[in-house]
Amino acid sequence: MESVRNERSVYLNGAFVPESRALLSFRDSGFVYGDAVFDTARTFDGRLFRLKEHVDRLFDSLAYCRIAIDLDRQDIIDATEELVRRNRPLLAPGEDYWVSQRISRGVMQLDGEPPIQDGPTVLIECTPLPLRARAAMFRDGIEAVIAPLKRIPPEALSPNAKINNYMNAMLAQREVTAVRPGAWALQLDMNGNLAEGIGCNVFFVRNGKVQTPRTDYILPGVTRGAVIDLCRNNGIPVEERDIPLHLATTASESFFTSTSLCVCPVRSLNGRPYLGSAGPVTKRIMGLFADLVGMDYAAQYLSFLRDGPTRTGF
């Protein structure tokens, strides 16, 4: 293995190499067409959380996109765990990693040209979580704004596959950022119901019941699933249903779930405030999730609180 002192490694097509030496062809279909899938787990105190569930979803996305790789689930799990082991010493105190597997169909072959690469491109990489940029969200809650662009309908592209082409979501976020810097975009489905945030799922609390959109129009997040299980196992009423705008705006609480955020309160939707920075049900679920992962993740974010703008990272 090549190594460069104080530089993170990546796994690329069977080898661990320094990030600066991980080279991809500009003819790779992931770059040319967005013809690729990915999934992302995170670490807690350097330990991966629910990696198997993330890898299972990755292989579901591969099957949907008809990308076949020569590695099985355990191969990806083993390579991911080894990469984290190699990169863990480079984490700054108190930090953790986003850990992503990114797989494209590979290099596009031109008519009559010799092949540059055989088969898909398989990349696994680690990126420090954006703890500083998002720390204030755990003090103040997230400001959510409904974007003018709706979620791509499932008749055009399944929302259940985690694919590289995020243009719909990125444009939605940029439309919101242009008018409310630091706010997080929420998208509606084609029926006008709440779908999901950019890179996250959304929950609402109304009359003590936790409600979240059905999976027909969203990517069902691993953290979302963990929160639904926590509610069911701890006597918190929870249901998956269509969420019309009226329900969302008359709820008493709201929170986002994602791999990086875990569970984070939403303070307002389109300027309409919820119960402070976090209501009682949200606080309880945050505590249950912290127990599940064995770490006070909100305190981790708050330890990086600093002056400066809040940024979503999208």
Side-chain angles (χ1 to χ4, degrees):
M1 181 206 76
E2 294 182 85
S3 64
V4 175
R5 187 176 179 84
N6 296 326
E7 182 178 350
R8 290 190 300 270
S9 297
V10 302
Y11 173 95
L12 178 61
N13 294 335
F16 293 95
V17 299
E19 282 191 359
S20 62
R21 299 181 187 174
L23 304 179
L24 299 177
S25 170
F26 65 85
R27 298 197 191 281
D28 192 280
S29 62
F31 176 74
V32 177
Y33 297 117
D35 184 12
V37 304
F38 75 103
D39 218 292
T40 300
R42 69 156 282 178
T43 64
F44 292 95
D45 196 22
R47 303 181 307 274
L48 283 158
F49 177 69
R50 297 207 169 179
L51 177 60
K52 179 183 180 299
E53 287 86 342
H54 283 284
V55 171
D56 284 344
R57 187 172 63 178
L58 174 74
F59 273 79
D60 286 345
S61 298
L62 286 168
Y64 173 74
C65 294
R66 301 188 182 191
I67 298 174
I69 61 174
D70 291 333
L71 303 170
D72 61 23
R73 286 170 167 78
Q74 193 59 50
D75 292 330
I76 295 293
I77 289 171
D78 291 345
T80 303
E81 290 176 338
E82 174 61 16
L83 183 70
V84 170
R85 186 191 70 78
R86 291 170 185 244
N87 288 332
R88 190 178 292 121
L90 298 178
L91 273 173
E95 293 195 339
D96 271 297
Y97 281 133
W98 259 327
V99 185
S100 298
Q101 303 91 14
R102 306 182 184 279
I103 302 175
S104 78
R105 200 174 304 275
V107 176
M108 304 300 296
Q109 303 300 327
L110 300 178
D111 186 33
E113 293 282 335
I116 300 172
Q117 171 190 318
D118 291 325
T121 298
V122 179
L123 174 72
I124 308 174
E125 52 91 5
C126 296
T127 304
L129 289 166
L131 300 172
R132 294 164 186 82
R134 297 178 176 179
M137 295 177 180
F138 287 86
R139 180 191 63 192
D140 307 326
I142 293 171
E143 181 182 13
V145 173
I146 294 176
L149 293 179
K150 291 184 177 181
R151 185 74 163 82
I152 295 173
E155 294 83 1
L157 187 67
S158 172
N160 299 157
K162 198 169 177 70
I163 63 174
N164 269 33
N165 193 331
Y166 257 39
M167 186 58 74
N168 173 249
M170 297 299 284
L171 287 176
Q173 181 61 54
R174 286 183 172 85
E175 291 292 327
V176 167
T177 300
V179 295
R180 296 293 296 176
W184 204 301
L186 274 172
Q187 289 184 279
L188 303 176
D189 64 32
M190 298 305 291
N191 299 315
N193 297 311
L194 270 291
E196 58 193 349
I198 309 308
C200 66
N201 294 121
V202 63
F203 288 74
F204 299 93
V205 182
R206 196 166 188 266
N207 299 324
K209 179 180 288 186
V210 176
Q211 298 174 321
T212 192
R214 297 182 294 118
T215 59
D216 302 58
Y217 299 96
I218 67 167
L219 179 75
V222 171
T223 304
R224 173 187 180 276
V227 165
I228 290 172
D229 289 343
L230 285 172
C231 288
R232 289 172 175 163
N233 294 336
N234 289 278
I236 302 172
V238 61
E239 66 173 342
E240 300 173 74
R241 55 159 295 170
D242 289 335
I243 309 285
L245 186 57
H246 175 75
L247 188 153
T249 56
T250 58
S252 58
E253 304 175 44
S254 179
F255 59 88
F256 283 171
T257 63
S258 78
T259 293
S260 56
L261 290 171
C262 306
V263 182
C264 187
V266 174
R267 75 169 183 264
S268 66
L269 175 61
N270 285 4
R272 186 267 188 198
Y274 292 109
L275 286 176
S277 59
V281 176
T282 301
K283 288 179 180 177
R284 184 182 177 199
I285 292 171
M286 291 175 71
L288 290 170
F289 193 83
D291 292 341
L292 177 66
V293 302
M295 177 181 166
D296 189 343
Y297 68 90
Q300 179 187 37
Y301 270 96
L302 290 170
S303 70
F304 289 92
L305 192 64
R306 63 179 185 180
D307 292 334
T310 297
R311 301 186 306 278
T312 64
F314 296 105

